[in-house]
Amino acid sequence: MTQVTDRHPDPAIGDDVVLLTVPADGGYLGVLRTATAGLAARLHFALDEIEDLRIAVDEACAMLLAIATRGAELDCRFAVTEDALTVEVTVTTVRGAKLPAESSFAWKVLTALTTSAAAEATGQRATIRLVTRRTGA
């Protein structure tokens, strides 16, 4: 099931927040890439910045899909500020799952394409957080 909550103001941080939940299946990554591009365009990101962010979100999701439980969902939280887009993707993971090391090629891609990238794996959930600030902002 795909669930979208659009422009949910988060009073704790004052951002516009978009929540999107899709099945943890590669066939749904296009939905997340499209949402990412649309929100980045709303912030007037340059075309190359939008494409970099789309690739980063795709890479982050691929990392999470590799450790997701069967039937899991990808929970995506897009926080929009005046000059940045923060994307957090979370999934339920199989027991003992580990994300790739920060020295891995996948992490090098994420850090090259975003302002910052971080990951957290606790219990049976893993989250990757990407922040991209608009150039010149």
Side-chain angles (χ1 to χ4, degrees), residues 74-98:
L74 284 171
D75 295 321
C76 303
R77 181 182 186 274
F78 300 89
V80 180
T81 62
E82 186 174 309
D83 67 343
L85 178 60
T86 300
V87 182
E88 290 181 359
V89 185
T90 302
V91 73
T92 303
T93 63
V94 297
R95 184 179 308 262
K98 293 184 181 179

Side-chain angles (χ1 to χ4, degrees), residues 8-47:
H8 178 267
D10 186 337
I13 56 175
D15 296 340
D16 282 339
V17 175
V18 176
L19 305 172
L20 180 61
T21 301
V22 298
D25 179 296
Y28 290 91
L29 295 185
V31 174
L32 301 181
R33 288 190 301 267
T34 300
T36 300
L39 291 168
R42 179 174 174 238
L43 290 170
H44 306 291
F45 277 40
L47 290 177

